Amino acid sequence: MAPGPGRGLRFGAGVFGGLAAGLTVIGIKLATGAVTLADVLVDRLLFLVPIDLFSLGVRLLEGWAKVVFYLAVLFLLAAAGGLAGLALGPVSPVAGVLGAGVGGWVVLGVVVLPLLGAGLFGAGLTGGPVVVGLGLLATCLAYGLGLSLAWRLVGAAGEAGFDPGRRRLLAGLGAGAVLVAAGGVLLRLLNPAGSQGGGLAVPLTPEEALPPEITPNDQFYIVSKNIVDPTVDLSRWRLEVRGLVDRPLTLTYDEVRRLPAREEIVTFECISNEVGGDLISTARWRGVPLAYLLDQAGLRPGARKVVIRAWDDYSTAIPVEKATHPDTILAYEMNGETVPHKHGFPLRLVAPGLYGMKNPKWVTAIEAVDYDYLGFWEQRGWSDRAVIKTMSEIIVPSRTLAVRNPGPVRLGGVAFGGDRGIVRVELSFDGGQTWRQAELRPAFSPYSWVLWTAEWNPPPGSYRVVVRAVDGSDEVQDPTPRPPLPDGATGYHVITVRVREV
């Protein structure tokens, strides 16, 4: 009897099917934004990565960390497909669809997703079992078709021998699929910079202006846990106010927009922003006060925290005192426009004084609870309080710029103290031994950054220029260099300026 296909060929055919499934996941995300198996895997795998290692990876890879992690999940799916291929062996298209496709769908929906905490066919995920289940079915069918196609292309079905040329063909097909998948991820799915603008990302020279006090929407920084951010289906979206309330509410988008509104100018900063980083931006937000919604629902006295849940299954919680502050709002407008999808349409929480992780996008539910709820990032080791630390940054001149003498050197930057404001910014031109005060522009609101400027007439030489800020509590920002994990970076921003003769 002629030998059947070897283990290597079986594994290779399975990998090909797994890559077909991975590409289908990408297509589903791009087309619908629905939750997929890859999203669940990313969410659960993050729990297994030690927080220190995760933070190190983010610092070293910056925006590319998400690219690398997503590709790892893609190859994990391919490897799982390879293992399944070992067991299945050569299959026809019918067997691939009915056996590998439908069979895999049942196993993943009934066994794997519940074990991952996502419920039967994703019943516990945003979108529910119908949307998630259909996406999972498409993914499994793609695997079955990919597996059967691989066997057909190498002539595996019904053949007794397998020559090296066919093995090379299958390897080439697999490599091609890998390149297509990687290219799609790198070019379309992710933002390699890890942010978008942030108001500070463009290199500046002394002749160029400081960032605008209000960051344009297309330059406002973006940080997300998602591989691909969701596009909310407004026909299915509702805002629920529930938990420890007397009168639970369920509101449509139009009903939310008809409620009393408030406008706030608030600066957002990501908790992972490094000293001198660009993950900070300011916008004019308009929306309904969260306190109004809680009052209409009848918030009970025993509530300790208010949990905010989002369309992408993100969650966090803020103290009741912050939730009932009159300036905490659910925003549906950003800089006079409807909040863009990438910034949280239809609703984004705006809680002044707290890092971005406490201001979720795509809000779907507000839930009052009587216990210390820990959300997505808090469970992974990030701060639960997440109160913004006082920061300052030199933007002009840039770190690499050498200025020419004679004439004054113009300096400028930003400072931010969360909801405490900024009362003073100081500069040192001798590495922190002596300080002089910079000029502050008026802040747009108690919750916005301030822009500062100064002029300096140094002789030729090399200088370590340091900046520090004093917040509205008369506290000087923390000079101790610390990384962002777990509760925000500290330390003074320092640049080197080289002054030379004309």
Side-chain angles (χ1 to χ4, degrees):
M1 180 180 294
R7 294 173 61 85
L9 198 57
R10 288 170 178 259
F11 184 80
V15 167
F16 187 85
L19 288 171
L23 291 173
T24 301
V25 167
I26 294 174
I28 292 171
K29 291 300 295 184
L30 293 177
T32 69
V35 177
T36 67
L37 177 61
D39 295 301
V40 179
L41 288 173
V42 167
D43 181 64
R44 302 310 183 259
L45 287 174
L46 280 174
F47 274 110
L48 303 178
V49 179
I51 190 65
D52 291 331
L53 180 61
F54 176 82
S55 180
L56 176 63
V58 170
R59 291 202 303 273
L60 293 178
L61 298 172
E62 297 181 343
W64 292 99
K66 190 184 288 187
V67 177
V68 171
F69 199 75
Y70 186 78
L71 289 177
V73 171
L74 189 64
F75 283 110
L76 178 64
L77 291 175
L83 293 176
L86 283 174
L88 294 171
V91 294
S92 67
V94 173
V97 170
L98 296 180
V102 177
W105 175 64
V106 172
V107 171
L108 290 174
V110 175
V111 179
V112 176
L113 284 181
L115 286 176
L116 293 173
L120 192 67
F121 288 103
L125 301 175
T126 299
V130 175
V131 173
V132 177
L134 287 175
L136 187 64
L137 178 60
T139 301
C140 292
L141 290 177
Y143 174 77
L145 289 173
L147 179 65
S148 61
L149 176 62
W151 286 114
R152 172 162 291 192
L153 288 175
V154 298
E159 289 193 12
F162 301 87
D163 59 50
R166 292 192 175 110
R167 288 187 173 88
R168 287 193 295 269
L169 174 61
L170 185 58
L173 291 171
V178 170
L179 292 175
V180 171
V185 171
L186 296 177
L187 296 178
R188 174 61 177 87
L189 291 180
L190 301 170
N191 178 359
S195 66
Q196 201 165 46
L200 308 181
V202 179
L204 299 171
T205 69
E207 290 74 30
E208 291 177 311
L210 290 171
E213 281 95 342
I214 303 296
T215 310
N217 289 355
D218 61 353
Q219 296 178 25
F220 201 98
Y221 84 87
I222 297 175
V223 172
S224 173
K225 77 174 182 67
N226 302 308
I227 302 305
V228 179
D229 287 333
T231 299
V232 175
D233 181 356
L234 203 57
S235 66
R236 295 193 297 116
W237 179 89
R238 296 293 184 273
L239 175 67
E240 296 183 39
V241 183
R242 62 196 189 205
L244 295 178
V245 296
D246 295 324
R247 300 174 295 278
L249 304 175
T250 300
L251 303 170
T252 66
Y253 180 66
D254 289 337
E255 288 172 335
V256 171
R257 294 201 61 136
R258 288 197 291 267
L259 296 175
R262 187 179 184 91
E263 189 170 274
E264 299 289 347
I265 298 177
V266 179
T267 296
F268 279 10
E269 183 182 10
C270 182
I271 196 170
S272 62
N273 198 28
E274 301 276 357
V275 172
D278 68 346
L279 301 180
I280 180 170
S281 305
T282 300
R284 187 186 303 270
W285 307 91
R286 181 177 177 81
V288 57
L290 182 53
Y292 176 84
L293 289 170
L294 293 171
D295 181 64
Q296 293 299 300
L299 181 66
R300 295 175 184 171
R304 291 176 53 194
K305 278 190 170 183
V306 173
V307 180
I308 300 95
R309 302 186 186 276
W311 185 272
D312 63 343
D313 292 307
Y314 180 83
S315 67
T316 189
I318 60 176
V320 165
E321 295 76 18
K322 174 59 72 170
T324 54
H325 192 284
D327 295 341
T328 298
I329 64 175
L330 287 170
Y332 47 74
E333 287 186 5
M334 179 181 183
N335 292 332
E337 303 175 359
T338 300
V339 173
H341 282 283
K342 61 187 177 182
H343 292 299
F345 176 85
L347 286 182
R348 178 171 193 171
L349 184 72
V350 178
L354 301 182
Y355 281 114
M357 61 178 281
K358 292 291 188 178
N359 294 267
K361 297 171 276 190
W362 315 294
V363 174
T364 59
I366 303 298
E367 182 178 356
V369 299
D370 58 0
Y371 57 91
D372 190 20
Y373 180 88
L374 297 179
F376 181 87
W377 287 119
E378 293 89 340
Q379 293 181 48
R380 289 156 174 83
W382 290 90
S383 171
D384 184 31
R385 295 182 66 246
V387 174
I388 291 173
K389 289 180 165 54
T390 301
M391 60 81 71
S392 56
E393 182 174 353
I394 303 168
I395 302 173
V396 180
S398 65
R399 181 182 298 273
T400 59
L401 186 67
V403 296
R404 295 186 175 188
N405 189 63
V409 176
R410 177 174 170 268
L411 300 104
V414 299
F416 183 46
D419 56 3
R420 301 175 300 280
I422 295 293
V423 297
R424 192 164 69 252
V425 171
E426 298 173 332
L427 291 164
S428 173
F429 303 104
D430 51 17
Q433 298 182 47
T434 60
W435 298 89
R436 55 169 283 193
Q437 194 164 327
E439 181 179 346
L440 302 184
R441 294 185 185 178
F444 271 29
S445 87
Y447 310 128
S448 72
W449 61 11
V450 298
L451 273 60
W452 59 265
T453 58
E455 284 194 352
W456 174 42
N457 288 277
S462 180
Y463 300 88
R464 292 182 71 249
V465 183
V466 186
V467 65
R468 70 182 184 187
V470 181
D471 65 26
S473 301
D474 205 32
E475 293 287 334
V476 181
Q477 76 176 83
D478 189 344
T480 307
R482 295 189 184 92
L485 182 71
D487 56 2
T490 59
Y492 294 162
H493 188 212
V494 182
I495 68 169
T496 299
V497 176
R498 295 176 178 84
V499 180
R500 57 190 174 92
E501 296 284 2
V502 176

